[in-house]
């Protein structure tokens, strides 16, 4: 456990950030029936140089063979193991608005390592509503419920004004990783992770080319 | 025009991809009343090394002064100009489901260079519905309407099965950049850009640390 954590410190976060992108591209290749790939081919799919991909992957050991490239199935297994998505993570969703509904119904979690287990909202009109197989629960019971279930990952689709207080409660309940859809920056200690989903950033990445 | 395109070819896409992240972090600093920053400070905000940030920014000219760091306002202006978000881009939204509603109501576009101008759906039950100030239009009229308005950017929140055919129609109408929420990879020529919003990839980036 300690060894794992020390290892985590040594690999730059920017490399960790690219691994899920490689994983997704490799999964698409596998779905299309491909068995092997090269750093060149993978690079064309993800828009990252072949040299960078070889360097990133070599951080974790020797996966490729000179001349024959990477076995896609082997690399998929290894990346899932490294990213710890070779298991299923429980996720709590807070905010049962449009975005919350969209995420509750999203089909892309189950086969990528994630499983929504609870949905909360502070709006009494929404509490008790059914979304997919879930019943929206009252945020008043959130700390207790999340702590008891040992959930470590949360997705926030609450209004910006509520995001920090919800985050504070979830951290109190033991949540260590947040995916934040609210258009606001969250304050949290260094041992808690946050990722932002921000459509404007993605659009700005494309306007350069228009 | 040609000069601009040639320039675009030379700067690696991976650098272009980081600029909106710098822009967002700098905007937050400005909102918090900061006037200047350093590559170290900016790096801590975005999780990228100071050396990388200096290298990225220097691709576009000399913005920082030795010792005094970067003027946030100046860097914001320059980044907006480079990314071409110093203007307002019209955006078409296709898919009036939960995610479409969430995006139509999203407050983070207007001050970042984007403006939704039309919403389409092929579901006759949804056509004519009001979302915010918009009336959902029939996708049957999409090609004609988008072409006439000269819209170059689309956001897709349609089911995976419909995403490619909607994309083909929008390309026919002149759209050159797609933000795709559908959990499917799109086929398009090299001169058309696509970005994917994929919550599972963001979650996978954090599980490594858990």
């Amino acid at each position: 456990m300690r060894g794992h954590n020390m290892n985590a410190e040594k690999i730059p976060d920017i490399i960790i950030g690219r691994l899920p992108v490689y994983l997704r591209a490799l999964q698409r290749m596998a779905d299309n029936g491909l068995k092997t790939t090269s750093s060149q081919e993978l690079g064309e799919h993800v828009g990252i140089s072949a040299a960078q991909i070889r360097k990133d992957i070599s951080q974790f050991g020797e996966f490729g063979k000179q001349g024959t490239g990477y076995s896609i199935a082997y690399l998929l297994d290894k990346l899932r193991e490294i990213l710890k998505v070779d298991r299923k993570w429980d996720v709590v969703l807070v905010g049962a608005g449009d975005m919350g509904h969209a995420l509750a119904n999203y089909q892309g979690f189950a086969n990528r390592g994630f499983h929504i287990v609870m949905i909360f909202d502070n709006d009494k009109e929404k509490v008790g509503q059914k979304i997919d197989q879930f019943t929206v629960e009252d945020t008043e019971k959130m700390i207790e419920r999340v702590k008891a279930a040992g959930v470590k990952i949360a997705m926030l689709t609450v209004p910006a004004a509520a995001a920090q207080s919800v985050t504070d409660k979830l951290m109190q309940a033991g949540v260590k990783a947040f995916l934040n859809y609210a258009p606001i920056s969250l304050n949290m200690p260094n041992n808690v992770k946050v990722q932002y989903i921000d459509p404007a950033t993605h659009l700005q990445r494309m306007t350069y080319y228009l």
Side-chain angles (χ1 to χ4, degrees), chain A:
Chain A
M1 193 62 188
R2 173 156 278 273
H4 218 114
N5 284 335
M6 284 172 65
N7 194 31
E9 299 302 325
K10 272 189 267 174
I11 297 161
D13 181 62
I14 193 164
I15 295 181
I16 298 302
R18 288 193 284 261
L19 300 184
V21 178
Y22 301 159
L23 182 56
R24 182 177 57 192
L26 289 162
Q27 186 57 60
R28 279 191 195 133
M29 290 181 189
D31 293 344
N32 290 333
L34 291 175
K35 302 291 180 204
T36 60
T37 189
S38 62
S39 50
Q40 282 78 9
E41 187 180 52
L42 182 54
E44 281 163 24
H45 277 82
V46 298
I48 293 173
S49 76
Q52 183 71 64
I53 287 174
R54 285 195 298 273
K55 203 173 146 194
D56 287 353
I57 290 176
S58 71
Q59 297 259 351
F60 303 97
E62 283 302 321
F63 295 134
K65 281 185 201 147
Q66 196 79 36
T68 61
Y70 300 108
S71 154
I72 290 174
Y74 184 73
L75 202 50
L76 279 171
D77 278 351
K78 279 293 167 189
L79 285 173
R80 286 197 192 106
E81 189 188 318
I82 291 162
L83 292 171
K84 302 189 199 165
V85 290
D86 54 352
R87 65 209 76 173
K88 199 78 116 200
W89 292 90
D90 288 345
V91 177
V92 53
L93 173 61
V94 188
D98 295 325
M99 190 67 82
H101 276 79
L103 287 175
N105 293 315
Y106 186 67
Q107 299 303 309
F109 290 129
N111 60 349
R112 314 255 312 266
F114 304 98
H115 178 230
I116 293 174
V117 290
M118 303 170 194
I119 302 179
F120 292 94
D121 204 292
N122 70 348
D123 180 347
K124 305 291 178 199
E125 301 257 316
K126 286 179 183 154
V127 172
Q129 271 185 10
K130 298 286 281 184
I131 304 182
D132 200 32
Q133 80 271 40
F134 304 101
T135 302
V136 177
E137 301 182 59
D138 195 324
T139 43
E140 280 178 12
K141 292 170 191 155
M142 185 174 70
I143 295 178
E144 187 189 344
R145 290 268 291 134
V146 170
K147 194 182 274 181
V151 182
K152 298 295 173 210
I153 302 174
M155 297 194 289
L156 304 188
T157 63
V158 298
Q164 186 65 52
S165 77
V166 168
T167 299
D168 293 343
K169 284 177 189 152
L170 288 169
M171 287 195 290
Q172 202 182 322
V175 172
K176 296 288 186 197
F178 290 83
L179 183 60
N180 180 28
Y181 281 77
I184 189 176
S185 180
L186 298 173
N187 296 314
M188 44 188 55
N190 279 333
N191 65 333
V192 178
K193 294 287 165 186
V194 61
Q195 287 275 302
Y196 298 92
I197 294 238
D198 175 3
T201 301
H202 287 270
L203 291 175
Q204 288 178 338
R205 192 187 165 137
M206 299 190 286
T207 44
Y208 174 79
Y209 297 98
L210 295 181

